[in-house]
Amino acid sequence: MGIVQDQLRLSTHKRRALFEKEMMSLHGDRYTQYRRDYKRAGLFEFEPEFPIYVMFEQTYRCNLRCPSCIQGYKPARENFKDDTKRMSIDTFKKVIDECSREKCPSISMHSNDEPLLVKDLEKRIRYAKDSGIMEIIMTTNGSLLTKERFHELADAGLTNLLFSTDAATPEVYAQTRPGGNFERVVEMMKYIKEYKKENETSIPYTRASFVQSLLNAHETQA
């Protein structure tokens, strides 16, 4: 069984429980309340006065053109295109400052973009952490991630790292992530797994995503 299948099939509950325990040890009751509120909001049982999760799109760019994403559909991508290469750090800080004032507990560093294209991403993550944001989440296709940059992201305060793969084999990955490098992403997953083991930490919480489609449905039984 490969590393992607390991990430997908390893007891999610067990890994998440270890992560939650570590986060609670760092943030105490505030983290517990955040997770409670997040769950209740998802069930439409709670409506916060200020968002408990803010998603950033810092650059409308990606290095891949995946068929499941707007970045892979040129007419739609061009329709949303503008001349802004990336969100300025001043704008990013302004939003984070508002989040901090309102006690927002969680943000994501991605939307329809590849966050690793933001050169000062680590600086932004550290600013968010220092401003009191507890959970800092990033989804990436992983093809630009290196060991050195992973360390910088982890040291800055990244708490959740999600690899968007939608494949469990190189053959399917070539279709779901055209232009990406399956072996490189797998090696990074292995490296991060060993890093967390050596450092006795569950942070950043790491997983590989697999959204079923006509391209990969047969791999759910692999």
Side-chain angles (χ1 to χ4, degrees):
M1 183 179 293
I3 186 69
V4 174
Q5 289 98 325
D6 285 343
Q7 289 286 333
L8 294 170
R9 293 183 175 181
L10 182 64
S11 174
T12 301
H13 294 297
K14 181 178 180 180
R15 289 190 294 111
R16 184 71 196 187
L18 291 172
F19 170 76
E20 297 274 354
K21 183 178 180 180
E22 190 167 352
M23 290 292 283
M24 283 187 285
S25 71
L26 292 172
H27 302 287
D29 292 341
R30 184 181 173 224
Y31 183 80
T32 304
Q33 185 62 48
Y34 151 58
R35 294 310 303 172
R36 186 180 299 120
D37 290 344
Y38 190 92
K39 182 177 180 179
R40 291 177 59 214
L43 297 172
F44 300 100
E45 297 175 354
F46 170 65
E47 184 176 346
E49 294 182 4
F50 189 87
I52 57 178
Y53 174 70
V54 174
M55 179 176 284
F56 285 86
E57 184 169 66
Q58 301 175 84
T59 176
Y60 193 70
R61 297 185 299 155
C62 188
N63 60 313
L64 301 183
R65 295 290 181 264
C66 307
S68 60
C69 178
I70 192 173
Q71 298 285 356
Y73 185 57
K74 187 174 181 179
R77 185 175 74 250
E78 292 296 321
N79 187 50
F80 283 90
K81 186 177 180 180
D82 62 30
D83 295 329
T84 305
K85 291 185 177 180
R86 64 178 176 274
M87 177 188 291
S88 72
I89 190 158
D90 288 340
T91 298
F92 178 83
K93 288 182 175 180
K94 183 178 180 180
V95 178
I96 290 295
D97 289 346
E98 183 178 1
C99 290
S100 180
R101 288 194 301 270
E102 299 295 337
K103 309 298 183 185
C104 175
S106 177
I107 65 169
S108 75
M109 306 299 289
H110 67 278
S111 183
N112 290 311
D113 58 324
E114 171 49 58
L116 291 174
L117 290 172
V118 179
K119 293 182 179 180
D120 60 353
L121 185 65
E122 295 82 358
K123 183 178 180 180
R124 298 173 186 229
I125 289 173
R126 186 172 298 279
Y127 187 84
K129 177 186 177 183
D130 291 345
S131 298
I133 308 298
M134 291 185 292
E135 194 163 43
I136 303 173
I137 304 164
M138 185 179 84
T139 294
T140 174
N141 60 52
S143 60
L144 299 176
L145 190 61
T146 62
K147 294 177 182 178
E148 293 76 17
R149 194 156 196 204
F150 165 73
H151 283 284
E152 292 173 356
L153 292 166
D155 291 343
L158 186 69
T159 62
N160 302 60
L161 178 58
L162 288 61
F163 288 90
S164 182
T165 60
D166 295 344
T169 62
E171 294 74 22
V172 173
Y173 188 83
Q175 300 177 67
T176 63
R177 297 292 176 268
N181 188 315
F182 183 80
E183 287 76 16
R184 182 175 181 177
V185 173
V186 167
E187 285 304 310
M188 279 306 307
M189 290 183 185
K190 290 179 179 178
Y191 179 79
I192 293 169
K193 182 178 181 180
E194 288 304 311
Y195 162 88
K196 294 199 293 184
K197 182 178 179 180
E198 291 176 4
N199 289 275
E200 299 182 341
T201 182
S202 297
I203 302 173
Y205 176 73
T206 310
R207 69 176 177 84
S209 66
F210 189 102
V211 179
Q212 185 171 321
S213 69
L214 293 176
L215 295 174
N216 62 21
H218 63 285
E219 292 195 330
T220 61
Q221 306 301 320

